Amino acid sequence: MKKSLFKAILSVATTLVLLISILPLQVKGASVTPPKNEMRAAWIATVQNVDMKPGMNAAQYTAWVRKTLDQLKANNFNAVIYQVKPTNDALYPSKLAPWSSYITGGKQGKNPGYDPLLIMINEAHSRGMELHAWVNPYRVTMPGQTLASLAPSNVARTNPGWVVKYGKQYYLNPGLPEVQNYLIATVKELVANYDIDAVHMDDYFYPYKIKNETFPDQAAFKKYGSSFKKIADWRRDNVNQLVKKVYSTIKTTKPHVQFGISPFGVWRNQSMDRTGSNTRAGVTNYDDLYADTRQWIKDGSIDYITPQIYWSKTFSAAKYSTLLDWWSKEVETYAYVHPVNLYIGVADYKVGVDADKAWKNKMELPNQVIANRANRLAAGQMHFSLKSIQKNMLGYATILKQQLYNYTALTPATSWSDAALPEGPTWVQANKKEAGVKLIIQDQTSKQPRKYVIYRFEGNEVGSYENPRNIVDVVYNTKGNTMFLDKTANRNKQYTYGITSVSATGVESEEAFIVKSDGVWLGK
């Protein structure tokens, strides 16, 4: 496929595109050289029912999932980040955590009568979309919620010594070994029981600081922190150990499942550390949340990192471009053990409504996507959150769909987990139907691929496999016998299809099975 040559040309061309593309009303030329691999994910927040209403029965929930994913698929998103453990609970049947109240709208622990996560996984995969299961490790309640309101089986009630109150919320104490062991067990249960593509954590580790209030973990520090002079260093180590253990647990359970974290957008300001970013953030990961993102990159204990750069390109205290460059340098400099994919968390929720006037410009977020592409190290973005994408303030999401996400992109690979090239599919059959061209993909390889990429070329010749505009869709392998219906095919035209395999770690086969739309097959 001459991938290395194409990537070199693409790099130069993308840089040139940036120079002519950032215009106030039109993304001129931004789609000329689009990336073939790009993360385009939507966060679906369930805490406090931000993006999902409560009280749906199985049929209503399934209909909502299908409609939601159809909309995202139509906008060429390729992943969803679904919040399945918002407050030490679960949106799936668990032996370790009670049912979430956010699914039923009733008391915590009430069974909705169906498995929300399983439905979301199946529907996402049936559309060729990844499912990242989003968990919040330490949070037990939301503000004002009492421990008595929790299910009797919640570990915060069965083990009250594990719990601390800070401000108006309750948390599991990160410094207790019992808490760490419990959290690791919940991740293992999740990964073992579900066909998820990744485990995802966001920015909530130690809670955001409250003025004039000390986080009440001094007793735990006295008992377990004797090797640390400062409680801050001990807290950071607690989080580092959790991240390491989560990663190793995931990899020993299912090696292909990714672990990603989406931290607050600033590690440290330069005023506190010369290697920090040129920002004036009032909160930082390292000093306030005890989340040392750099250490995770160094340790190789994450597969991807998605800093929440929720500021505009002109916001003086924390400029988007400044932080984009800083995080790029982080993954380039400190990924000692293996590469770490860099995605950017973007603030869809600010478009049209934020006090920063830059967000009144419908091009602010699209121009951030353009900047990510020109950056070369950033491999895509995650959008917060679903309801903002659906609201489409100022028409920004329409611009994304029509000018930047106007083709199908593959999610980036994590080849460091397994770099082996998969074999192409064993056999592909094509048949013209009233509804389109039906492809039946059969695979008898000993190591089954996870996905297939369907390329389509007009006429009788094979075109470029490096141009994502030739991708019709991505489909998950269904036990070696996979069906795909190309509904966009013109029944009056002749097509040549090339089908490649994609491994569980996102590595694409070099060989493709080639077949014509009239059923004539050309083999590999």
Side-chain angles (χ1 to χ4, degrees):
M1 297 184 190
K2 299 181 180 179
K3 292 183 179 179
S4 57
L5 175 61
F6 184 84
K7 286 180 180 177
I9 296 171
L10 179 63
S11 172
V12 174
T14 303
T15 303
L16 292 174
V17 166
L18 178 69
L19 298 175
I20 62 172
S21 64
I22 305 178
L23 299 179
L25 295 177
Q26 183 182 7
V27 191
K28 182 180 177 183
S31 58
V32 173
T33 54
K36 178 179 172 180
N37 294 81
E38 181 177 54
M39 177 61 71
R40 301 171 184 169
W43 272 294
I44 301 179
T46 59
V47 66
Q48 297 183 315
N49 297 107
V50 169
D51 290 320
M52 178 193 74
K53 70 178 184 180
M56 292 182 280
N57 61 33
Q60 292 168 331
Y61 175 83
T62 302
W64 169 76
V65 169
R66 289 173 176 170
K67 181 180 179 181
T68 297
L69 296 180
D70 281 345
Q71 291 173 338
L72 292 172
K73 178 75 172 178
N75 288 349
N76 281 321
F77 279 70
N78 52 25
V80 290
I81 317 297
Y82 187 48
Q83 192 174 29
V84 298
K85 285 183 64 62
T87 53
N88 197 43
D89 50 7
L91 271 78
Y92 54 91
S94 169
K95 294 180 180 179
L96 300 171
W99 278 105
S100 176
S101 62
Y102 299 122
I103 190 65
T104 63
K107 289 186 176 181
Q108 189 181 80
K110 183 180 179 181
N111 190 333
Y114 58 94
D115 188 336
L117 175 56
L118 182 62
I119 293 170
M120 185 67 79
I121 291 171
N122 290 341
E123 294 296 336
H125 286 180
S126 72
R127 290 162 178 77
M129 302 174 73
E130 290 189 355
L131 190 289
H132 297 210
W134 171 13
V135 303
N136 295 82
Y138 301 124
R139 187 169 62 197
V140 173
T141 66
M142 295 304 288
Q145 188 180 2
T146 65
L147 290 177
S149 69
L150 305 179
S153 62
N154 194 309
V155 294
R157 294 188 65 179
T158 59
N159 296 275
W162 294 5
V163 179
V164 293
K165 187 178 183 183
Y166 185 59
K168 297 180 180 180
Q169 289 179 259
Y170 291 92
Y171 302 88
L172 294 178
N173 190 338
L176 301 182
E178 308 96 302
V179 167
Q180 289 230 0
N181 292 338
Y182 167 73
L183 294 174
I184 297 303
T186 63
V187 170
K188 185 175 181 64
E189 179 190 54
L190 174 61
V191 175
N193 291 343
Y194 290 93
D195 187 25
I196 59 176
D197 297 280
V199 173
H200 179 97
M201 290 181 181
D202 58 359
D203 54 321
Y204 291 102
F205 290 96
Y206 277 81
Y208 283 79
K209 287 185 176 179
I210 299 171
K211 190 176 182 179
N212 299 324
E213 186 168 349
T214 302
F215 188 76
D217 60 349
Q218 287 71 31
F221 176 57
K222 185 176 181 180
K223 186 174 182 180
Y224 298 108
S226 59
S227 60
F228 294 88
K229 292 183 178 179
K230 297 180 180 179
I231 194 169
D233 292 333
W234 172 71
R235 288 171 178 167
R236 275 186 287 272
D237 187 66
N238 290 332
V239 175
N240 289 346
Q241 293 304 315
L242 176 70
V243 171
K244 275 186 180 180
K245 291 173 183 176
V246 166
Y247 188 82
S248 63
T249 297
I250 290 170
K251 298 305 178 182
T252 55
T253 307
K254 287 181 184 173
H256 72 272
V257 174
Q258 299 176 51
F259 181 36
I261 298 180
S262 175
F264 180 74
V266 176
W267 174 69
R268 299 190 88 185
N269 296 315
Q270 274 184 1
S271 60
M272 305 191 76
D273 188 314
R274 63 181 181 83
T275 67
S277 53
N278 184 19
T279 51
R280 302 188 307 278
V283 174
T284 68
N285 279 299
Y286 186 92
D287 300 287
D288 299 299
L289 307 178
Y290 307 103
D292 189 357
T293 56
R294 178 177 291 174
Q295 193 62 48
W296 311 337
I297 295 170
K298 286 181 178 180
D299 292 341
S301 52
I302 51 176
D303 292 305
Y304 69 78
I305 193 162
T306 308
Q308 298 171 20
I309 309 182
Y310 288 167
W311 302 285
S312 72
K313 298 181 78 175
T314 56
F315 184 64
S316 60
K319 289 184 180 180
Y320 185 90
S321 55
T322 297
L323 286 164
L324 172 62
D325 291 343
W326 187 88
W327 283 100
S328 300
K329 187 177 179 182
E330 285 292 284
V331 298
E332 187 175 39
T333 304
Y334 296 108
Y336 299 150
V337 178
H338 62 69
V340 172
N341 281 338
L342 172 65
Y343 310 131
I344 307 299
V346 289
D348 298 54
Y349 71 96
K350 286 189 173 182
V351 177
V353 297
D354 194 71
D356 179 357
K357 292 182 180 179
W359 291 102
K360 300 297 192 294
N361 180 353
K362 65 183 179 180
M363 291 305 302
E364 176 62 35
L365 195 142
N367 279 339
Q368 291 181 3
V369 174
I370 294 170
N372 294 348
R373 289 181 176 180
N375 170 269
R376 294 195 300 167
L377 284 172
Q381 41 282 325
M382 295 179 175
H383 296 257
F384 191 84
S385 65
L386 174 66
K387 69 178 182 180
S388 298
I389 298 168
Q390 293 173 330
K391 283 182 180 178
N392 190 18
M393 294 292 289
L394 307 181
Y396 88 95
T398 302
I399 294 170
L400 286 178
K401 176 182 178 179
Q402 294 179 349
Q403 301 188 48
L404 293 168
Y405 291 178
N406 55 336
Y407 64 95
T408 299
L410 311 183
T411 53
T414 55
S415 55
W416 48 89
S417 294
D418 183 355
L421 277 170
E423 296 180 23
T426 308
W427 178 264
V428 181
Q429 182 179 354
N431 294 296
K432 282 189 176 181
K433 303 288 184 182
E434 283 293 321
V437 177
K438 181 180 180 181
L439 299 175
I440 298 175
I441 308 168
Q442 295 179 334
D443 230 311
Q444 297 172 0
T445 52
S446 58
K447 190 172 184 180
Q448 290 278 305
R450 185 157 176 81
K451 305 173 187 175
Y452 300 103
V453 187
I454 315 294
Y455 296 86
R456 187 182 69 197
F457 313 100
E458 283 196 24
N460 296 310
E461 299 295 326
V462 171
S464 172
Y465 289 97
E466 295 297 345
N467 186 347
R469 297 185 185 284
N470 293 325
I471 299 174
V472 178
D473 213 340
V474 177
V475 294
Y476 274 74
N477 178 8
T478 53
K479 298 180 180 179
N481 192 25
T482 306
M483 192 277 287
F484 172 74
L485 182 62
D486 181 7
K487 297 179 182 179
T488 63
N490 185 330
R491 62 179 303 177
N492 296 318
K493 289 186 177 181
Q494 170 74 7
Y495 297 105
T496 300
Y497 290 90
I499 295 86
T500 60
S501 300
V502 178
S503 74
T505 57
V507 178
E508 186 179 6
S509 64
E510 288 190 345
E511 58 183 21
F513 195 102
I514 302 168
V515 63
K516 294 185 181 298
S517 55
D518 58 9
V520 177
W521 67 275
L522 303 177
K524 296 183 180 181

